[in-house]
Amino acid sequence: ASFSALVQRSWDALESRLEHGLREVVGTFDAVAYHRLLVAHRRMGRGFHVLERLQRQFIDTINAQTQRALYAHVLQSPDNAVRAEELLSLPFKALADALADEHFVACLHTILEYLAALLYAHYQMTEWHAARSRARTDTASSTTPHNTENNDNNNSTNDSNNKDDDEDDDVDVGPAGDAAFFDSLHASLLRFRKPMWDKMQRKVSAILSTSALASVSYTHLRAHETDS
């Protein structure tokens, strides 16, 4: 293989790892992993792709998790289990119509749990940006001439303790350190809350619009809530 082909394969493998990493932090937010992914994108000149990729990962995860949960509950009905392959290809709304009455509440509960976890991951992500922005502001306001000596003493005391943290958190210096990039990403993630929420609402509405809802009593809902 040519050198250029080897380079391209290495590049593609790295891109794949970045995509996988974003999918992981969307599912379960990890601050250190998220920071490293942002820095990696910046250093590769892919900073402009991060928001698009994050949004796609959130939407894809909503689609995949709700579809998977719905399909699993639909198959709990013996009549549906025998046509599992046929049902697998159905879109979400059509699959929701096949949900048996007795599995409606459990299915709705599972889907709401998935969606709540995604909302929390999104909240943690935006809070990570907000916390860093506040830290930069506090650092700027505290770095004044009369605090210089104290800051030097504190820095020398904490250098050894914070070495590992600095390696993970030093996002505002060097080639990866554009504070405007992080602030812009934060603002875009905040704006993305509404499209994300709307997508979730459409999934829940598809479940609630099925005929199975008519068979569910308030006491049934309360009993399931108590059991969980």
Side-chain angles (χ1 to χ4, degrees), residues 4 59 62 69 112 138 190 224:
S4 60
I59 295 301
I62 291 171
L112 290 177
D138 292 344
L190 290 174
H224 186 83

Side-chain angles (χ1 to χ4, degrees), residues 106-124:
C107 180
L108 179 62
H109 184 268
T110 300
I111 286 176
L112 290 177
E113 279 189 330
Y114 281 146
L115 297 182
L118 282 174
L119 282 173
Y120 184 55
H122 181 271
Y123 166 78
Q124 288 178 298

Side-chain angles (χ1 to χ4, degrees), residues 10-198:
S10 297
W11 183 267
D12 292 343
L14 184 54
E15 289 274 18
S16 178
R17 288 179 62 186
L18 291 177
E19 285 281 359
H20 177 75
L22 289 177
R23 185 162 54 251
E24 290 290 315
V25 296
V26 162
T28 304
F29 183 73
D30 181 293
V32 173
Y34 179 64
H35 159 246
R36 289 174 175 169
L37 286 165
L38 296 187
V39 171
H41 276 84
R42 290 283 285 162
R43 289 177 176 168
M44 292 175 61
R46 287 290 193 264
F48 57 92
H49 281 320
V50 175
L51 178 64
E52 174 194 346
R53 288 177 171 180
L54 280 172
Q55 290 177 339
R56 186 176 67 250
Q57 290 298 343
F58 271 113
I59 295 301
D60 287 351
T61 303
I62 291 171
N63 288 333
Q65 289 191 346
T66 54
Q67 186 81 13
R68 187 161 50 244
L70 177 58
Y71 181 70
H73 284 87
V74 165
L75 291 190
Q76 290 182 21
S77 167
D79 291 340
N80 289 331
V82 297
R83 53 193 193 105
E85 188 172 350
E86 172 194 344
L87 294 171
L88 184 61
S89 62
L90 291 181
F92 190 83
K93 181 63 175 68
L95 187 60
D97 290 336
L99 183 65
D101 295 355
E102 61 268 27
H103 303 303
F104 172 82
V105 175
C107 180
L108 179 62
H109 184 268
T110 300
I111 286 176
L112 290 177
E113 279 189 330
Y114 281 146
L115 297 182
L118 282 174
L119 282 173
Y120 184 55
H122 181 271
Y123 166 78
Q124 288 178 298
M125 196 172 288
T126 57
E127 275 301 294
W128 182 88
H129 284 280
R132 297 189 68 78
S133 181
R134 290 192 297 268
R136 286 199 307 271
T137 301
D138 292 344
T139 299
S141 62
S142 64
T143 308
T144 57
H146 68 274
N147 283 331
T148 301
E149 183 177 350
N150 289 337
N151 288 338
D152 289 341
N153 291 335
N154 289 336
N155 288 338
S156 62
T157 302
N158 293 328
D159 274 347
S160 60
N161 294 332
N162 293 336
K163 184 176 180 181
D164 292 338
D165 291 339
D166 289 343
E167 291 174 357
D168 288 335
D169 297 336
D170 191 11
V171 297
D172 294 329
V173 297
D178 185 354
F181 162 73
F182 291 94
D183 289 342
S184 175
L185 182 55
H186 181 208
S188 297
L189 283 170
L190 290 174
R191 289 193 296 271
F192 179 61
R193 282 188 302 195
K194 187 179 187 308
M196 181 177 168
W197 178 251
D198 290 343

